Amino acid sequence: MRARVTMYTIAWHTNLVQRLGELEVLVLLVSCICHDLDHPGYNNIYQINARTELALRYNDISPLENHHCSIAFRLLEHPECNIFRNMSKEMYKDVREGIIRCILATDMARHNEILTQFQEATPEFDYSNKVHTNLLCMVLIKVADISNEARPMDVAEPWVDRLLQEFFAQSAAEKSEGLPVTPFMDPDKVSKPGSQVRFIGLVLLPLFEALGELLPELTDLIITPVRVALDYYRRLNDAANKTRRSIAEAEAASSESGGSPQLPRSQSGISVKSRRSIPSQKSASRTSVDEPILIAAELHDLPEGSESGDSETATEVDVSGGAVVPSLCAPLHGSAELDSPGASSSVAIY
């Protein structure tokens, strides 16, 4: 649901119909609706390592994304679902190819490849060049797919919690089945703020900024809120790290003296305010064409013991400020309710 809402908002805000044409916008919207159909809650890494039916069927090549495409077109075969039934064969062929291309682009294993190609095309981008517009469509659906942090904190953060629950469920399954444990899903190695800092700073923000180079009108809509989100989680992460260091120092001092450690007082009583009030900061993105980013699975990999084992940090900080940033929910009445966190936690967030 979030991807579709984000795509509609971007299309409206940047007049994509004029830039790409009605058919391409239709492809983008349908792709967003279908891009996670029948998601089992375990990612491609698990599918391949566990040798699941999906991995065997699609030869370890984007098994989930291929499955989503297959389910989408199986549904469209039903007369009551076939929104393309009045199209010519040639038009339907183009639409089908476009939807498959877009959905397959959401496989994070292809993130670096797609982003690099788009960055190389941007300086001389030509809307009449099909290669360029295909790249733009792939970047657009990728942005829509991982756009959670562009939304207000009260909408976005509950979905982060549910994503972590999904990650930890996969980690538990991997451990119980004797499979390699995906590092960024291991509750013994990750914390919520630390995971968010890495994902936003190294994956999400560079992608959004790359799109903003071509469509600068998106800066206030999706890029500034993401920068604010990164600052918010950095503050939480820094506070959590400071608390852990203080505890470690107190325990070390106690061990040397033989007494009881004097642990620092919890800061959990300090108010956490909405990130919408945090002053915007310049991006700390380190991604460029010369320095390709890592895929998401590597970005969340932490050394043993470097982060808290809790999915939620107990440390809160005052992140008040003055600036108010636009919200993706603003132009779409009720979009926050449509994406209510009360829905099934099996929905893939990233």
Side-chain angles (χ1 to χ4, degrees):
M1 185 69 73
R2 178 195 65 248
R4 187 262 298 168
V5 171
T6 302
M7 185 63 74
Y8 174 82
T9 307
I10 291 174
W12 175 82
H13 205 74
T14 62
N15 198 3
L16 284 184
V17 170
Q18 182 177 353
R19 285 181 155 119
L20 296 175
E22 292 180 348
L23 204 61
E24 289 296 340
V25 174
L26 173 65
V27 165
L28 287 168
L29 290 172
V30 174
S31 298
C32 285
I33 293 170
C34 300
H35 83 287
D36 267 342
L37 281 177
D38 199 37
H39 197 295
Y42 292 172
N43 71 3
N44 281 333
I45 297 173
Y46 175 87
Q47 305 298 325
I48 294 169
N49 288 338
R51 302 176 186 174
T52 66
E53 171 61 27
L54 292 181
L56 295 175
R57 183 183 305 163
Y58 297 111
N59 302 311
D60 294 349
I61 301 172
S62 303
L64 288 178
E65 291 73 25
N66 274 297
H67 179 61
H68 304 324
C69 287
S70 177
I71 293 295
F73 284 102
R74 286 176 186 273
L75 289 173
L76 288 167
E77 287 296 309
H78 294 281
E80 65 272 22
C81 299
N82 190 359
I83 60 175
F84 304 134
R85 59 183 174 272
N86 293 324
M87 288 184 173
S88 66
K89 289 184 178 180
E90 192 61 33
M91 183 179 290
Y92 175 75
K93 179 175 178 289
D94 291 342
V95 167
R96 175 172 160 81
E97 287 177 354
I99 292 173
I100 292 172
R101 183 188 309 112
C102 284
I103 293 179
L104 292 182
T106 62
D107 183 354
M108 288 303 294
R110 298 184 59 202
H111 182 86
N112 184 54
E113 165 207 341
I114 294 170
L115 178 59
T116 300
Q117 290 177 3
F118 181 73
Q119 289 173 320
E120 291 172 348
T122 298
E124 298 180 0
F125 195 90
D126 181 0
Y127 283 97
S128 65
N129 184 326
K130 190 63 176 174
V131 173
H132 288 187
T133 56
N134 284 346
L135 280 170
L136 174 57
C137 288
M138 288 190 285
V139 167
L140 282 167
I141 192 170
K142 285 174 62 58
V143 165
D145 184 28
I146 58 174
S147 62
N148 187 58
E149 303 314 321
R151 302 188 297 174
M153 177 61 72
D154 57 346
V155 177
E157 194 159 28
W159 286 105
V160 176
D161 297 335
R162 281 158 177 78
L163 175 67
L164 288 173
Q165 291 172 11
E166 187 174 290
F167 281 180
F168 297 160
Q170 176 171 323
S171 177
E174 290 169 335
K175 292 175 182 178
S176 67
E177 296 171 26
L179 299 173
V181 179
T182 307
F184 69 86
M185 295 187 177
D186 190 343
D188 296 328
K189 294 185 178 181
V190 301
S191 71
K192 177 179 174 179
S195 178
Q196 285 292 90
V197 166
R198 278 178 293 281
F199 185 77
I200 297 171
L202 298 175
V203 177
L204 199 155
L205 186 54
L207 177 68
F208 280 41
E209 289 178 332
L211 181 60
E213 289 294 317
L214 183 65
L215 302 173
E217 56 265 54
L218 292 178
T219 298
D220 290 340
L221 182 69
I222 62 172
I223 298 174
T224 297
V226 167
R227 289 172 178 162
V228 170
L230 179 58
D231 181 71
Y232 169 80
Y233 283 110
R234 276 178 175 159
R235 290 170 184 245
L236 287 181
N237 196 46
D238 289 346
N241 288 337
K242 182 178 180 180
T243 298
R244 281 195 292 273
R245 285 194 298 270
S246 297
I247 292 173
E249 291 169 0
E251 290 176 342
S254 172
S255 177
E256 292 176 0
S257 64
S260 299
Q262 297 296 317
L263 300 181
R265 295 177 59 188
S266 169
Q267 302 178 44
S268 60
I270 303 176
S271 172
V272 177
K273 300 181 180 178
S274 170
R275 74 175 185 216
R276 285 173 289 180
S277 65
I278 305 173
S280 175
Q281 292 188 350
K282 291 186 178 180
S283 166
S285 166
R286 292 176 287 174
T287 300
S288 67
V289 174
D290 296 326
E291 185 182 359
I293 66 172
L294 304 174
I295 64 172
E298 295 170 331
L299 295 173
H300 292 71
D301 192 356
L302 297 176
E304 184 75 33
S306 66
E307 291 287 348
S308 167
D310 296 329
S311 63
E312 302 269 353
T313 176
T315 305
E316 297 180 340
V317 295
D318 188 343
V319 290
S320 61
V324 177
V325 298
S327 164
L328 272 177
C329 296
L332 298 169
H333 302 296
S335 60
E337 295 180 4
L338 288 173
D339 264 359
S340 169
S344 170
S345 63
S346 66
V347 177
I349 307 300
Y350 292 137

